[in-house]
Amino acid sequence: IRTRHWRRLGTIENSFREGGDSRSRDTSWQRIITCAVLGVTGSLIAGFLVLHQSGDGMVVLAAQDETLDHRFYQVPCSEDYNNHRRFAGCTPRRCGRAVSDAVITRQEAEKMLRVAEAGFSLGGSDGGASILDLHSGALSMGKHFVNMYRYFGEKLHEILTEEDFQLYRELRLRIQSEIARTFNINASSLYLTKPTFFSRMNSSAAKTTHDEYWHPHIDKVTYGSFDYTSLLYLSDYSRDFGGGRFVFIDTVSNSTVEPKAGRLSFFTSGSENLHHVEKVQWGTRYAITISFTCDPDHSIEDPTWM
Ligand SMILES: *[C@@H]1O[C@H](CO)[C@@H](O)[C@H](O)[C@H]1NC(C)=O
Ligand SMILES: *[C@@H]1O[C@H](CO)[C@@H](O)[C@H](O)[C@H]1NC(C)=O
Ligand SMILES: *[C@@H]1O[C@H](CO)[C@@H](O)[C@H](O)[C@H]1NC(C)=O
C-alpha cells in the first residue's frame, strides 16, 4: 500500500511541477514551428467565429453566463501521439476542444459538489489546492496525502453513499460517450485512466509544490497515458470564486473556458492543448478531472463502494 501510495503522490506532484518545465524540453525547431502554426490557426479559428474577448484580451470560448448545447473548436493535432503506441479508432486523428452545458445537469453537478464537499471535509491541503481521488483513495491532508479508504475505513460510509458512486460512474459513462461522439471514435475503445480526481482550489498561498496548480502544462507530456482530458465544473466562475479560469495557451492569443456548474469541457491531451488554470483570487473552485486513454494497459476501474 505504501509503495502504491507514494507512486501516486509522485504522479500528482509531477502533474503540478512538471508543468513548468515540460515546454523547455521541446526545443527543436520543428516543435517551435508546430507551436507557431497551432497558435496562429487557433487564433484564426477563434477570430473567425467572432468570439467575444474579455478585457484582458483573452478570447472567451464559453462564458459563465452562456448555456451551450455543444461547441467545438478544431485545432491541428500535435505529434505527441506518435511518441506512444497508436490505437486505431481511438488515438486522435482530429484534435480540438469542446464545451457543453447539455451533458450534465446542474442538479447532477450539485450532487457531485456535495460529494466533493463531504469528501474534502475529512482533509484538505494547507495550501490552496486539494485533491480527492475516489479511485486510489488519495486525499490531500495538510502538506501530504492520505489514503482515505485506509485512514477512515468504515467511517467513510457515513460520508459517501453507494448512490454517490453510482452517479459518479453514470456521469463518467456519459462523458465518455460524448467524447467518442465528438471525436468520431468508438466509446468502448476508450478507457478511464489515472489520475481522475476531484479538485478544490482557493486563494490560500501554496505550501508545497502539490499546491501549485497554475503552471502551464500538456497532459500527454505530464501523464503519458492521457489521450482525452475532460473537466466537469461544479461551481461558477465570478459567483462562487474569482480568478480560476481555465486557459488554453496559444501563441497569438489565449482563450478561456469559464467554469460553470454542470459545464463539461474536454479536449485532446497533446501539446495542441497546452493549458493552465489561473490562480484563484477569492472563493472556492470545485471541479472533477476525468481522464481517458486509448491504451487498455493504462485503464483503471471505476471506484466501488466498499
Ligand atoms: C483554503 O482551504 C483550506 C483548506 O484546504 C483552508 O484551511 C483555508 O482557510 C482556505 N483559505 C481561504 C482563503 O479560504
Ligand atoms: C466498438 O469496439 C468494440 C470493442 O473494441 C467492438 O466490439 C464493437 O464492434 C465496436 N463498435 C463499432 C460500431 O465499431
Ligand atoms: C497566455 O498565457 C500565458 C500563461 O499565462 C502567458 O505567459 C502569455 O503571455 C499569454 N499570451 C497572451 C498572448 O496573452
Side-chain angles (χ1 to χ4, degrees):
I1 290 288
R2 255 206 124 62
T3 320
R4 191 165 143 231
H5 181 51
W6 284 109
R7 206 180 310 135
R8 253 215 70 69
L9 300 193
T11 317
I12 294 162
E13 185 171 349
N14 287 344
S15 74
F16 292 134
R17 220 186 8 219
E18 278 188 7
D21 44 58
S22 55
R23 283 184 99 190
S24 51
R25 280 195 225 123
D26 308 326
T27 46
S28 74
W29 279 107
Q30 192 182 16
R31 174 69 57 198
I32 291 164
I33 291 164
T34 309
C35 285
V37 170
L38 290 177
V40 171
T41 318
S43 308
L44 282 178
I45 293 168
F48 189 66
L49 292 168
V50 202
L51 291 161
H52 70 276
Q53 284 194 357
S54 57
D56 51 9
M58 188 104 69
V59 174
V60 181
L61 300 181
Q64 189 279 329
D65 59 6
E66 288 179 285
T67 301
L68 303 175
D69 186 36
H70 182 84
R71 207 172 251 182
F72 183 72
Y73 306 93
Q74 190 161 356
V75 289
C77 290
S78 62
E79 292 180 2
D80 297 3
Y81 305 97
N82 296 334
N83 301 330
H84 298 264
R85 226 176 114 198
R86 293 189 70 97
F87 295 87
C90 182
T91 300
R93 299 179 135 272
R94 173 168 111 114
C95 291
R97 313 156 178 182
V99 186
S100 175
D101 296 318
V103 177
I104 311 292
T105 68
R106 230 186 143 86
Q107 288 71 23
E108 288 167 332
E110 276 163 16
K111 280 188 191 158
M112 277 292 111
L113 176 61
R114 282 196 283 274
V115 173
E117 286 171 337
F120 283 122
S121 73
L122 298 170
S125 164
D126 286 347
S130 305
I131 65 110
L132 165 68
D133 179 338
L134 291 180
H135 304 267
S136 69
L139 170 69
S140 305
M141 194 173 284
K143 293 185 172 56
H144 306 277
F145 297 88
V146 293
N147 181 330
M148 62 176 181
Y149 296 131
R150 301 226 117 215
Y151 200 86
F152 298 104
E154 280 294 310
K155 190 170 176 263
L156 272 181
H157 285 181
E158 294 161 25
I159 303 279
L160 300 171
T161 68
E162 192 162 10
E163 290 75 55
D164 296 337
F165 283 83
Q166 271 165 9
L167 179 62
Y168 184 83
R169 180 183 141 81
E170 193 187 310
L171 300 187
R172 184 280 277 187
L173 284 169
R174 219 184 293 157
I175 292 167
Q176 185 168 344
S177 307
E178 184 67 10
I179 294 175
R181 197 171 66 83
T182 302
F183 290 97
N184 203 15
I185 59 174
N186 186 336
S188 54
S189 64
L190 266 184
Y191 304 91
L192 194 61
T193 193
K194 68 176 180 184
T196 282
F197 57 93
F198 287 87
S199 59
R200 183 182 72 179
M201 296 163 184
N202 70 17
S203 59
S204 283
K207 298 287 191 299
T208 71
T209 52
H210 304 307
D211 299 319
E212 297 182 17
Y213 56 83
W214 54 81
H215 297 295
H217 62 276
I218 298 158
D219 292 344
K220 185 101 194 132
V221 174
T222 307
Y223 303 109
S225 67
F226 281 37
D227 288 302
Y228 300 90
T229 306
S230 74
L231 300 161
L232 171 61
Y233 294 108
L234 306 180
S235 46
D236 289 296
Y237 167 70
S238 88
R239 290 187 189 182
D240 299 319
F241 61 91
R245 290 179 302 178
F246 178 97
V247 179
F248 288 110
I249 302 171
D250 297 313
T251 39
V252 174
S253 63
N254 295 341
S255 48
T256 179
V257 172
E258 296 179 354
K260 174 186 176 113
R263 170 165 288 169
L264 174 67
S265 161
F266 56 94
F267 49 88
T268 47
S269 309
S271 39
E272 66 277 6
N273 283 319
L274 172 67
H275 62 271
H276 81 134
V277 174
E278 295 173 326
K279 283 188 184 176
V280 169
Q281 303 297 339
W282 56 267
T284 309
R285 178 196 199 269
Y286 287 91
I288 316 180
T289 301
I290 304 181
S291 335
F292 295 95
T293 182
C294 295
D295 187 347
D297 289 344
H298 285 110
S299 74
I300 59 166
E301 295 297 319
D302 281 307
T304 47
W305 201 63
M306 309 137 290

